[in-house]
Amino acid sequence: MKQHALSSIFPALPDEELQSLAADIKAHGLHSTIVLYKGDVLDGWHRYQACEIAKVNPRTIDYKGSDPVAFVRSANWHRRHLSASQRAFAQVQLSEWATEGKRSDTPPNDGVKTESEMAKEAGVGTKTIERAKRVAKSGSKALKKAVKDGKITVDKAAEIAKLPIEEQAAAIKAAEIKTPPEPQYTPLDAAHDQIGELQSALAVANIEGSEKDKDQAKDLITTLRAEIKTLTETLKAVTISRDTLQNELAAMKRHNISLQKKLDKK
């Protein structure tokens, strides 16, 4: 079974996380059904790979809707770790797939989005969409993958895309973002991840689930969003308190230094 082109627009799961997912599936089974479109995996590619690793038979259903682009976007857009550059590039690729005649049931120019519309959907500026389109048009496969994987910003990638293909590899290496320290996993992150899982489940429920299943998923998402709002406000308050304490500590240090200087003069 192959990964559908729409699914491959989004970054791959790191190997460590894929192995962790496989271990969870082996221990607890596959929770979310894998969605197929014309025989390829439209949603759940990482779950399918994890099932292969865990030697678990995956559950699959066929996508029966009329807009696979919107379905894939809905299932993947919640990923909290997607940067603005990744969102912009994914938005451009989704729009291109939908408008270049790759959907047999859609005329090539049906539903063409403007750069302003794409920017609004991706939550970025129109200039970022323009740069993403330049990368999609003139970038090498390696450059496109680097943007998709978050290793290079779309701004830098757009400049590299102006170079001849054979010169882009060296420029990519020089422009790659240095990997930051692994951030601490917080309750806020957990709530975001739960929403992501529920949105994926809701997308599947819209294909095969009952109205009761859909309502339960929507209610859980609403509850989690309220939890995220509370956690965000708490985090903001803690950050302000921390900054206040740091400022007070700095003031005390300055005061102590001043006192020490006066004592030294006596």
Side-chain angles (χ1 to χ4, degrees):
M1 204 175 295
K2 296 187 302 181
Q3 183 179 22
H4 192 277
L6 282 171
S7 170
S8 67
I9 285 173
F10 293 89
L13 198 66
D15 186 64
E16 184 178 340
E17 293 182 35
L18 182 62
Q19 294 298 330
S20 178
L21 178 61
D24 183 77
I25 289 175
K26 187 171 184 177
H28 306 106
L30 178 64
H31 297 303
S32 299
T33 306
I34 294 164
V35 181
L36 307 181
Y37 182 58
K38 296 182 178 179
D40 294 335
V41 178
L42 184 65
D43 177 60
W45 176 246
H46 298 129
R47 297 194 297 277
Y48 173 75
Q49 287 180 304
C51 284
E52 291 280 289
I53 294 169
K55 302 189 184 307
V56 171
N57 289 327
R59 296 191 317 277
T60 64
I61 56 170
D62 290 324
Y63 175 71
K64 300 185 184 300
S66 59
D67 194 347
V69 173
F71 175 80
V72 169
R73 190 183 188 284
S74 174
N76 288 277
W77 214 250
H78 61 265
R79 291 183 173 186
R80 62 181 174 81
H81 57 276
L82 286 179
S83 67
S85 289
Q86 287 174 303
R87 293 197 308 273
F89 192 56
Q91 181 65 54
V92 166
Q93 290 185 298
L94 288 170
S95 297
E96 285 185 351
W97 193 91
T99 59
E100 289 181 356
K102 294 176 183 176
R103 283 173 53 182
S104 59
D105 57 342
T106 306
N109 294 318
D110 184 55
V112 176
K113 294 183 185 294
T114 65
E115 289 179 354
S116 179
E117 289 172 331
M118 285 192 281
K120 185 176 181 180
E121 289 188 5
V124 299
T126 53
K127 290 291 185 184
T128 303
I129 292 296
E130 288 175 11
R131 293 174 185 125
K133 289 176 75 172
R134 186 188 302 163
V135 175
K137 180 181 179 181
S138 305
S140 63
K141 288 183 179 180
L143 182 60
K144 293 174 184 178
K145 187 176 186 303
V147 175
K148 182 180 78 169
D149 293 344
K151 292 182 178 179
I152 184 173
T153 66
V154 77
D155 291 357
K156 290 182 178 179
E159 291 302 311
I160 293 173
K162 296 177 183 177
L163 299 172
I165 292 292
E166 61 272 14
E167 295 179 20
Q168 291 184 17
I172 292 168
K173 189 173 182 180
E176 281 187 351
I177 300 169
K178 292 182 179 179
T179 305
E182 188 70 23
Q184 185 178 1
Y185 193 74
T186 68
L188 186 61
D189 295 328
H192 275 296
D193 286 346
Q194 283 180 281
I195 281 185
E197 291 173 4
L198 284 167
Q199 284 179 322
S200 182
L202 180 58
V204 172
N206 283 330
I207 299 176
E208 62 174 5
S210 65
E211 288 302 318
K212 184 178 179 181
D213 291 334
K214 296 175 189 177
D215 289 340
Q216 286 179 339
K218 287 177 182 176
D219 288 344
L220 283 169
I221 288 173
T222 300
T223 300
L224 281 168
R225 281 187 172 146
E227 182 181 339
I228 283 177
K229 184 178 180 181
T230 300
L231 287 168
T232 301
E233 290 172 352
T234 301
L235 180 62
K236 184 178 179 181
V238 169
T239 301
I240 292 171
S241 177
R242 181 203 62 194
D243 292 345
T244 300
L245 287 172
Q246 287 178 337
N247 290 335
E248 290 177 353
L249 180 60
M252 288 176 65
K253 286 181 178 179
R254 289 194 297 270
H255 182 65
N256 286 340
I257 291 171
S258 177
L259 285 174
Q260 188 63 50
K261 288 180 178 179
K262 289 180 180 178
L263 288 171
D264 290 342
K265 289 178 180 180
K266 292 183 177 181

